[in-house]
Amino acid sequence: MNENTNKNVEQNGFQPYDILTPLEKPVIIQKKRKWKISQETGIMWSSVLIIFLLWYTVTKLNIFSEVFIPSPAKTWAAFTDLLINGYKGNSLIFHLLDSLYRLSMAFFAALITAVPLGLISGYSSKVRAALDPILEFYRPLPPLSYYTLLILWFGIGDLSKVALLYLAAFAPMYIAAVSGVKGVLEDRIHSATSLGANNWQTFRYVIFPSCLPEIFTGMRTAIGFAYTTLVASEMVAAVSGIGWLVLDASKYLRSDIMYVGIILMGVTGILLDRILRKIEVKAIPWKGKD
């Protein structure tokens, strides 16, 4: 029966199929990925484009003098000149890195002190009662009001500048840590203790992970507030730094250089915030999934 069937198949131009012969591998057609831009991203870049178009239009129509608002072309020329020739004997990268060094030193010093103190204060009302008056006294003060005291205490070097940025970053991190501890649900703590967890285990596995979203919010607020204080910290006896570059250029009415420094500080601040956001996503993947 099978032989007759195979002969008929061969006569009709078809090859017989042998069950011992493996089938050919199926051809998988891979579709090319299409890059999709979200609506939020499109709106973001559209707003940036509108701002640049307004900037270009205002300078093209000579509504204001270039001393006040330089043209985008003049600002770009100043940027390329700073990249090639630097400013006052130092390169633009050197000024930027010098500012970031002061900022990072102050930020990490605040991180390793403000967060533990905030966690302890949130856990203990007595510690919070001892620290709150000090924090609430200096927190509303403008940075320049006590910067002169820091210069008297620590000199005109980087130490006084780092101390000013440290105080600016300390308060947001401390308050965020305290708020995080006070916001932990009591049901979680009771569940951990009912399962036999001691105080340290409850803090490590329940309280601290629950506080991480608030702590990261405080970190982002702190680095932004410290960056705004950067210009003030480089006002006195500084010869480098992006904030000093902007202040020094203002003395000679070099608004193009001022714009370069301001834009560079803004872009750097955005990048620092994005880095913290990426770390937050990796560190607390459960955020928003409670």
Side-chain angles (χ1 to χ4, degrees):
M1 180 71 180
N2 291 335
E3 293 179 357
N4 294 330
T5 304
N6 290 338
K7 288 179 181 180
N8 293 331
V9 171
E10 289 178 355
Q11 290 176 358
N12 294 330
F14 298 99
Q15 292 182 353
Y17 170 69
D18 187 1
I19 59 173
L20 299 177
T21 304
L23 289 172
E24 294 182 357
K25 294 182 179 179
V27 179
I28 299 174
I29 301 175
Q30 293 182 352
K31 296 181 179 180
K32 294 182 178 180
R33 292 183 179 180
K34 295 180 180 180
W35 294 101
K36 294 183 179 180
I37 300 176
S38 63
Q39 292 182 354
E40 291 78 7
T41 304
I43 293 172
M44 179 186 69
W45 287 110
S46 298
S47 63
V48 173
L49 181 60
I50 290 172
I51 292 172
F52 274 97
L53 287 175
L54 289 174
W55 182 15
Y56 174 80
T57 304
V58 168
T59 55
K60 191 69 175 178
L61 297 176
N62 293 322
I63 298 176
F64 300 101
S65 172
E66 284 197 346
V67 175
F68 300 104
I69 303 179
S71 64
K74 187 177 181 181
T75 304
W76 177 258
F79 174 67
T80 55
D81 181 68
L82 288 172
L83 281 178
I84 297 171
N85 302 317
Y87 187 80
K88 296 292 182 71
N90 291 314
S91 66
L92 181 61
I93 301 299
F94 176 84
H95 288 293
L96 180 61
L97 292 179
D98 210 19
S99 294
L100 290 178
Y101 167 77
R102 294 163 182 160
L103 181 67
S104 60
M105 291 291 290
F107 178 79
F108 286 112
L111 180 64
I112 62 177
T113 55
V115 172
L117 284 175
L119 294 174
I120 296 172
S121 297
Y123 203 70
S124 173
S125 59
K126 295 179 180 179
V127 177
R128 185 168 65 253
L131 295 178
D132 274 356
I134 302 172
L135 187 74
E136 294 301 326
F137 173 77
Y138 96 84
R139 187 168 63 90
L141 295 177
L144 290 178
S145 63
Y146 53 83
Y147 187 33
T148 51
L149 289 176
L150 296 177
I151 293 173
L152 289 175
W153 295 342
F154 303 114
I156 60 176
D158 281 348
L159 186 57
S160 59
K161 299 172 178 56
V162 172
L164 181 67
L165 297 177
Y166 168 80
L167 292 174
F170 182 91
M173 290 193 201
Y174 174 85
I175 293 174
V178 173
S179 177
V181 175
K182 294 175 70 176
V184 177
L185 297 176
E186 292 186 359
D187 293 341
R188 296 180 179 178
I189 299 176
H190 294 327
S191 299
T193 54
S194 64
L195 293 174
N198 55 31
N199 291 335
W200 168 246
Q201 290 173 333
T202 303
F203 174 80
R204 180 181 177 183
Y205 296 106
V206 178
I207 297 176
F208 182 69
S210 300
C211 295
L212 282 178
E214 290 281 351
I215 291 173
F216 270 96
T217 302
M219 290 168 61
R220 291 175 56 195
T221 306
I223 199 166
F225 191 55
Y227 211 176
T228 59
T229 315
L230 183 64
V231 177
S233 69
E234 294 176 348
M235 285 182 62
V236 180
V239 292
S240 64
I242 199 70
W244 171 83
L245 183 146
V246 172
L247 289 170
D248 191 75
S250 66
K251 299 176 183 178
Y252 306 98
L253 299 179
R254 290 296 307 273
S255 57
D256 52 347
I257 296 178
M258 293 171 58
Y259 270 56
V260 171
I262 292 170
I263 293 172
L264 194 58
M265 284 192 292
V267 172
T268 307
I270 293 173
L271 292 176
L272 291 174
D273 185 72
R274 289 295 177 89
I275 291 172
L276 286 177
R277 285 186 181 184
K278 293 292 184 182
I279 297 174
E280 181 181 9
V281 171
K282 296 292 183 181
I284 46 176
W286 63 85
K287 182 180 179 180
K289 298 179 182 179
D290 292 341

